[in-house]
Amino acid sequence: MHLYEKIQNGVYIIAEMSANHGGDINNAFKIVEEAKKAGADCVKIQTYTADTLTINCDKEPFKIKGGLWDGYTYYDLYKEAYTPWEWQRSIKEKCEEVGVDFLSTPFDRTAVDFLEQLSVDFYKIASFELVDIPLIEYTASKGKPMIISCGMGSEEEIREALDACYRQNNRNVVLLKCCSQYPAKYEDMNLSVIPDMINKFGVTVGLSDHSEGSLAPIAAVALGAKVVEKHVCLDEKINSADMGFSMKMSEFKKMVDDVRNATLVIGKPTYELTENEKGGLGGRRSLFAVKKIKAGESFTEENIRSIRPSDGVKPKYYKELLSKKAKKDYDFGEPISYEELD
């Protein structure tokens, strides 16, 4: 598992497959292969059935109104979107074959038990399950790292989810800032909460992103995010429940590159010069004789100036030199020596 290695030295990037296989396992395999080529560290799926998430009921509370899934019942949506459990071992094996981590989101105890049989390395809790404390406790009890999305979560609810893990002596938790809109609008994302989450909860924080493009992941990384999760789909059109807010694989590759480069740009808090910067020191200003100066002659505003390059005394000594007399002869264009200073 690359999670801890990456969050120590960079950003861990998760490609969320979700329903974008479109009901064809070969598409699932291709997503794994393309995600690896794009530079993802991990491919994530979801482990549920319509019956483990909801009930087959068409009463008003079970009907989705507005958004991408307007007119669906919850049951019909999940029945269409789920990843068959009999595929999941093969998807995990494909991940192992190409060299990316495999991750899944369980939505009930049976899913956790099933994933334990697959010997998964860690778990993801979805935003909508943030308030399902019994599920979080049961998942955390397996002793494996937990990634928890915090969409719609209040500070109190996030704290309760963390405490549920801690009660199981599981402190290996990553929180993901998330805006649970599909797609998410920039003005609703409030990524400035990321550093606050880091300080307030004392854990690694990342971003589960449903917005368009690479902007939000780059901004999140600049604010301290160490994990980025993004829904991905193949470039060729495949009908699925999640296509409307998923990033095409060619765009995902650009996002991965942008995030990696943002990490390089951010660097570390240091005032040390890089080797490349040291090469520019010669272009700094320093004090030079701009007229011939005889030994014993006073330095004046007319015979010395602060100019480039940096071979002479630093400009901060200019006023001090104006009160002194030259200890040696200087030719036009000769740097003033530090020997002139007491």
Side-chain angles (χ1 to χ4, degrees), residues 186-200:
Y186 289 152
E187 62 267 27
D188 292 335
M189 297 191 69
N190 294 318
L191 297 186
S192 59
V193 80
I194 288 173
D196 187 69
M197 290 173 70
I198 294 169
N199 292 328
K200 190 161 285 174

Side-chain angles (χ1 to χ4, degrees), residues 148-160:
I148 302 177
S149 279
C150 300
M152 304 169 291
S154 66
E155 181 181 335
E156 179 183 5
E157 288 167 341
I158 295 170
R159 178 67 66 190
E160 287 172 348

